[in-house]
Each structure stands twice: as structure tokens, then as C-alpha cells.
């Protein structure tokens, strides 16, 4: 679904995939308690699969909107700020799901609350959102000129995708590789951290909302701080855009790799939690690295780049990561086996970053504007070009 949503973004912009995702998730969440009563766990599994498919449109949709709405001088900060939602949602989920489940309304209230929030988000983006500044009904001329003028010519959704140029670009492939490696490491931490804490350190982190939330509080903080600092350093001309992307991506890879290696040697719960906070939290600086680099390379095709990268990363997490974990960590109480696994994930993260640092480009690629060299502009596109 992620790949399909990338195509939708190219034809109709980023708003529609987000609307679909929010609406489907909202309705399915509201109906889930009754679906469980009717069909049991199998029916619930179908609901979750449907939600998973619909969520494939979120990241490409968000990235397409960011490319259209965010000026280059605010690209890292606003992009990073937007992605704090994933960390914030995780923290809120850990903290409130238990409270809702033990309330007078019971476990269904968790689904109903999520459903209402999703439909609220759907309503807000439907009423107030627009695919581009040119299509927004109430934006001021000054604000529109700032957004479009800041990017030189604005961005344009396009139905035709230059697949060969994208898939043979060394700069794009480097961003894809860093994306896959970062998400593999992030998913490993997200999925296996509770098991490690329970099996090795004898702490049932699943039953501790505070311990479960702390690493994701680090994600929120690092998202905001890294994005702001990245744009500040660029706008003050302390470092170049390329250096800023390299720095952010390197921090997101090197620090978690070091933390992962160290955590496999400690028996202290406090030290382990601190290292896990570093490993998960600091990795959020990737939003100022390869994430925003998709927009650097091709504002017009950033949605499809995110779709390809995210789809490939998720595929690797589903097909490769479980095989690696089950074949290396055969005994979850064996710290040496965990150590091997953590060194392996650290190495994968570092490898992706090394390739990214060597091959990165922050220049808009020639194929980004291919359509506009060969085809006439629409009225909106002509206005944007003049901006």
C-alpha cells in the first residue's frame, strides 16, 4: 500500500492519502469492539490488516505536503517537528491505553478514543488542509508568496514518475540504504527492548508505562532540537546544507550504535534505560538527515521517494529482521547472544550511514523538472513559476 500511495501522491497530492488513512483507521477503530464480539481474534486481525494497509499512505502523504508547504530555510525544523507525532502518539498510547482499559468503559474505550481522534484529524485536514498553497482557499497572498518564493518556483505533483532515473540515481539509492538501515535498527529496538529488559535485567517494561515511554520522550525532544539546530546552522551559514545532512545522519547512526554495543555489557537497569533512551532518542536526528534529503533531491517526487524507501524498509523489517533475531538469539536469557545481535544491528546502522555520507547530494536532481521542460504548464504551475 505504501508504494500505491506514492503514486496517488504524484497524481493528486499528499492530502488524499492522509484523508484515506485517517478515515479508515477511525472507522475501523470505532467498530473493532463489536467486530471482536462478532468474529473473535480472526475478525480483529482483518481489522488490523485493513488499518495497516491504510496507514501506508501517511508517510508519503506527509512528505508530499512538506515538500509543497515548507520553504527550504525551514525544511529540517518543520519536517522534524511534524514527525514528532509518532513519538508523541507512542507516549500517549502507553500512558492512556491502560487507564482507559481499566475505566468503567473497559478495553473498548481504547479503540473508541483512537477512532474519535482519527476522525477528528480527518475532519481537520478535510476542512483546513490543501495539497498545495495554490489550492488553499484562505491562505494570504503574502504567506503564499513566502512559501512558493522561498523555494524559487514551488513544487508540482506529477502523474508521470521517472522510475529509471530514480532507481539508478546513486544519491537516491544512498538515501534508500540509510533509510532501510536506520529503520531496521529502530524496529529492532522498538520490538526487542521490552524482551531484553525482561529476560536479561528482570524488569517487566511492558507493565511500566513510565519506562515504556521514556525512550519515546527522547525521540520527541531530539526531533525538535535536531531540526531547529540544523536549520539554524544552515541559515547562519555556519555549515552547508550537505554538511548539516551528513552531521544529522551520522549522529542518528553512530550514537545509537555505540549505545547498543554498551548496553549488552551492563546488568544495571538504570544504565540500560539510559542507553536505550540514547539509542532510540538520538536516532530521531535521522529526520534532519536522509528523511529531509528526499525533499532536497526531488521536491516534486519526494512522496514517491518516501514511499519506495519506507516500503522497502518495512519489507526488510518483516522478512529479514525476525529471521535474524530468531537465529541469533535462540535463548533470550543469554546475554552473549543478545550482544552479537546488537553488534550486528550497530554495524548495519553504521554501514548505511557511511554510504550515505559518501554519496549524498543536496542538489535538486535534473529529473525533478523533466516534465516541465517537455510539457506546457497549467495555469497554477505558471503562477508558481512566476512566484
Amino acid at each position: 500500500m505504501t508504494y500505491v500511495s506514492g503514486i496517488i501522491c504524484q497524481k493528486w497530492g499528499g492530502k488524499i492519502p492522509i484523508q484515506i488513512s485517517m478515515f479508515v483507521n477511525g472507522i475501523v477503530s470505532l467498530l473493532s469492539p463489536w467486530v471482536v464480539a462478532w468474529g473473535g481474534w480472526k475478525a480483529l486481525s482483518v481489522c488490523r490488516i485493513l488499518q495497516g494497509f491504510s496507514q501506508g499512505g501517511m508517510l508519503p502523504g506527509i512528505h508530499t505536503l512538506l515538500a509543497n508547504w515548507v520553504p527550504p530555510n525551514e525544511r529540517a525544523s518543520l519536517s522534524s517537528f511534524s514527525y514528532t507525532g509518532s513519538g508523541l502518539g507512542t507516549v500517549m498510547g502507553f500512558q492512556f491505553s491502560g487507564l482507559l482499559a481499566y475505566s468503567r468503559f473497559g478495553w473498548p474505550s481504547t479503540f473508541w478514543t483512537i477512532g474519535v481522534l482519527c476522525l477528528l484529524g480527518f475532519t481537520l485536514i478535510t476542512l483546513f488542509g490543501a495539497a498545495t498553497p495554490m489550492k488553499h482557499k484562505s491562505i494570504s497572498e503574502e504567506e503564499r508568496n513566502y512559501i512558493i518564493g522561498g523555494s524559487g518556483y514551488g513544487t508540482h505533483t506529477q502523474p508521470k514518475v521517472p522510475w529509471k532515473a530514480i532507481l539508478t540515481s546513486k544519491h537516491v539509492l544512498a538515501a534508500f540504504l540509510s533509510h532501510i538501515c536506520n529503520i531496521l535498527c529502530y524496529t529492532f529496538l522498538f520490538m526487542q527492548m521490552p524482551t531484553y529488559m525482561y529476560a536479561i535485567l528482570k524488569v517487566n517494561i511492558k507493565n511500566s508505562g513510565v519506562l515504556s515511554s521514556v525512550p519515546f520522550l527522547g525521540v520527541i525532544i531530539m526531533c525538535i532540537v535536531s531540526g531547529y539546530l540544523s536549520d539554524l546552522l544552515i541559515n547562519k551559514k555556519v555549515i552547508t546544507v550537505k554538511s548539516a545532512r551528513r552531521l544529522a545522519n551520522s549522529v542518528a547512526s553512530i550514537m545509537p550504535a555505540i549505545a547498543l554495543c554498551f548496553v549488552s555489557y551492563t546488568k544495571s537497569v538504570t544504565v540500560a534505560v539510559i542507553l536505550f533512551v540514547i539509542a532510540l532518542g538520538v536516532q530521531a536526528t535521522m529526520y534532519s538527515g536522509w528523511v529531509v534529503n528526499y525533499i532536497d533531491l526531488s521536491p516534486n517526487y519526494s512522496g514517491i521517494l518516501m514511499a519506495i524507501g519506507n516500503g522497502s524498509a518495512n519489507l526488510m523489517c518483516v522478512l529479514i529482521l525476525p529471521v535474524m533475531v530468531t537465529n541469533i538469539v535462540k535463548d533470550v536469557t543469554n546475554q552473549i547472544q543478545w550482544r552479537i545481535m546488537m553488534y550486528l544491528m550497530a554495524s548495519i546502522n553504521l554501514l548505511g550511514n557511511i554510504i550515505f555520507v559518501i554519496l549524498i547530494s543536496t542538489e535538486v536532481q535534473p529529473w525533478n523538472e523533466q516534465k516541465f521542460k517537455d510539457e506546457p504548464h497549467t495555469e497554477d504551475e505558471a503562477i508558481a513559476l512566476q512566484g
Side-chain angles (χ1 to χ4, degrees):
M1 182 60 189
T2 302
Y3 299 116
V4 175
S5 66
I7 303 297
I8 294 174
C9 288
Q10 291 312 127
K11 295 195 70 172
W12 296 293
K15 179 181 174 180
I16 291 177
I18 296 176
Q19 285 176 296
I20 294 172
S21 180
M22 300 295 283
F23 183 77
V24 171
N25 275 273
I27 295 298
V28 173
S29 290
L30 288 175
L31 295 178
S32 287
W34 289 284
V35 170
V36 171
W38 167 71
W41 69 268
K42 292 181 181 179
L44 180 62
S45 296
V46 173
C47 288
R48 301 301 286 174
I49 291 171
L50 182 60
Q51 288 181 297
F53 274 120
S54 69
Q55 286 177 3
M58 283 299 292
L59 291 184
I62 291 172
H63 229 56
T64 302
L65 288 181
L66 289 171
N68 279 279
W69 281 92
V70 177
N73 63 321
E74 300 178 45
R75 189 168 282 170
S77 55
L78 291 185
S79 296
S80 296
F81 185 78
S82 298
Y83 284 109
T84 59
S86 60
L88 182 60
T90 303
V91 171
M92 292 177 65
F94 278 131
Q95 295 302 320
F96 292 111
S97 59
L99 295 175
L100 290 169
Y102 284 99
S103 69
R104 56 178 294 197
F105 300 104
W107 64 267
S109 63
T110 303
F111 288 88
W112 294 332
T113 302
I114 297 299
V116 169
L117 290 174
C118 285
L119 292 180
L120 176 61
F122 166 78
T123 303
L124 290 174
I125 194 170
T126 299
L127 294 177
F128 303 111
T132 69
M134 303 305 300
K135 295 179 180 179
H136 200 282
K137 297 178 181 179
S138 60
I139 188 174
S140 68
E141 193 67 27
E142 181 183 3
E143 195 173 4
R144 181 183 291 114
N145 290 337
Y146 173 74
I147 294 169
I148 296 177
S151 60
Y153 49 81
T155 55
H156 320 271
T157 55
Q158 303 178 77
K160 295 181 181 179
V161 180
W163 292 109
K164 183 178 179 180
I166 288 174
L167 297 178
T168 56
S169 168
K170 63 182 180 181
H171 310 304
V172 172
L173 293 177
F176 284 161
L177 181 61
S178 188
H179 186 160
I180 292 169
C181 293
N182 263 164
I183 296 303
L184 272 173
C185 186
Y186 183 89
T187 304
F188 169 74
L189 283 164
F190 182 79
M191 298 298 294
Q192 301 301 325
M193 180 180 63
T195 302
Y196 182 86
M197 294 287 286
Y198 178 76
I200 302 299
L201 303 178
K202 312 304 180 185
V203 176
N204 193 349
I205 194 172
K206 292 181 180 179
N207 293 336
S208 173
V210 175
L211 282 179
S212 300
S213 301
V214 167
F216 297 98
L217 288 173
V219 170
I220 296 170
I221 294 170
M222 288 305 300
C223 269
I224 297 172
V225 171
S226 64
Y228 174 78
L229 285 177
S230 183
D231 278 343
L232 179 66
L233 293 173
I234 293 170
N235 294 331
K236 294 288 187 181
K237 302 188 184 302
V238 176
I239 56 177
T240 64
V241 175
K242 182 182 286 189
S243 296
R245 303 291 185 255
R246 282 172 168 163
L247 176 61
N249 213 76
S250 296
V251 171
S253 301
I254 295 171
M255 293 298 291
I258 294 172
L260 268 175
C261 293
F262 282 173
V263 78
S264 64
Y265 290 96
T266 185
K267 288 285 188 177
S268 168
V269 174
T270 302
V271 173
V273 169
I274 291 172
L275 290 171
F276 278 130
V277 169
I278 293 172
L280 267 174
V282 175
Q283 199 160 3
T285 61
M286 67 185 179
Y287 294 115
S288 300
W290 60 260
V291 175
V292 76
N293 188 233
Y294 285 147
I295 303 177
D296 295 330
L297 293 172
S298 179
N300 293 335
Y301 295 105
S302 58
I304 201 72
L305 296 184
M306 174 58 79
I308 297 170
N310 200 55
S312 302
N314 288 333
L315 195 62
M316 293 291 287
C317 289
V318 170
L319 298 180
I320 304 299
L321 188 58
V323 175
M324 292 169 60
V325 174
T326 53
N327 279 278
I328 294 175
V329 187
K330 297 180 179 180
D331 177 8
V332 295
T333 62
N334 189 317
Q335 193 171 22
I336 295 177
Q337 292 178 6
W338 280 108
R339 187 174 301 151
I340 295 171
M341 187 66 209
M342 289 178 179
Y343 267 92
L344 178 60
M345 296 312 302
S347 300
I348 289 173
N349 216 359
L350 291 174
L351 174 63
N353 181 65
I354 290 170
I355 301 298
F356 180 81
V357 167
I358 293 172
L359 299 180
I360 183 179
S361 172
T362 53
E363 300 296 324
V364 176
Q365 299 302 291
W367 41 265
N368 178 67
E369 289 296 317
Q370 190 62 45
K371 172 187 174 185
F372 303 104
K373 294 178 181 178
D374 301 332
E375 300 179 18
H377 302 295
T378 65
E379 182 179 351
D380 282 352
E381 289 164 355
I383 294 172
L385 284 169
Q386 292 171 6

